[in-house]
Amino acid sequence: MAEFETGTVVKAHYKTGVYASEIVEDRGSMYLVKVLAVLKHPQQGDLHNPGQTENVFFHQRKALSQYEKANVSKSAVHLYEDEVPSYEDSLKQALNNLKEKLNKKDDDFSKLALQRVDELEHQYFS
């Protein structure tokens, strides 16, 4: 596992999202990172029961905000060498990627997840 210095731009996996982030502080087994862009939008639904819609609490999961800080396990942090896109552009692209993936399936989970993503898109950009 590579060690990174403060200020290094990394790809940080946080819950089910992935973010281009800057290392703010080394906290032993974790890094405190500051979000710069969204590379993969978090999945919708109950993470403990993936693909399920009945008898579960179907969560709407937002992406971390621009400059929001999060503690991320060092094992979930990797060097990011691409150009960092703007936060807004990256969020739009991550949402589009998620919607494309969900549109490929015709099941109750994908339909409900798409509904949540549409609601989020409205919140993010209205």
Side-chain angles (χ1 to χ4, degrees):
M1 177 170 45
E3 290 284 323
F4 300 108
E5 294 184 19
T6 301
T8 303
V9 176
V10 295
K11 181 191 297 189
H13 298 257
Y14 183 76
K15 299 191 178 177
T16 62
V18 181
Y19 304 89
S21 306
E22 180 182 330
I23 300 284
V24 174
E25 185 180 323
D26 185 331
R27 294 189 166 175
S29 64
M30 311 277 266
Y31 285 117
L32 179 65
V33 300
K34 177 173 68 175
V35 172
L36 305 175
V38 181
L39 303 177
K40 179 181 175 278
H41 195 280
Q43 296 173 5
Q44 303 303 297
D46 186 335
L47 301 182
H48 302 289
N49 298 288
Q52 302 297 309
T53 58
E54 293 190 30
N55 301 319
V56 298
F57 184 71
F58 199 93
H59 297 269
Q60 180 187 64
R61 299 185 183 285
K62 290 183 174 184
L64 295 177
S65 316
Q66 184 177 23
Y67 307 130
E68 185 171 350
K69 294 182 178 106
N71 284 304
V72 180
S73 172
K74 285 185 175 181
S75 63
V77 173
H78 311 282
L79 186 62
Y80 184 74
E81 298 184 86
D82 295 329
E83 186 174 324
V84 177
S86 77
Y87 180 84
E88 187 171 321
D89 289 346
S90 71
L91 180 58
K92 285 178 185 175
Q93 184 63 53
L95 279 171
N96 286 336
N97 292 346
L98 180 56
K99 286 172 27 175
E100 282 178 24
K101 180 181 172 186
L102 292 169
N103 275 317
K104 289 180 183 176
K105 296 180 182 172
D106 186 26
D107 58 23
D108 289 341
F109 175 83
S110 296
K111 289 175 187 171
L112 190 53
L114 266 171
Q115 184 181 16
R116 294 295 190 269
V117 170
D118 287 341
E119 292 165 2
L120 281 171
E121 193 168 33
H122 209 72
Q123 289 175 30
Y124 291 147
F125 302 111
S126 62

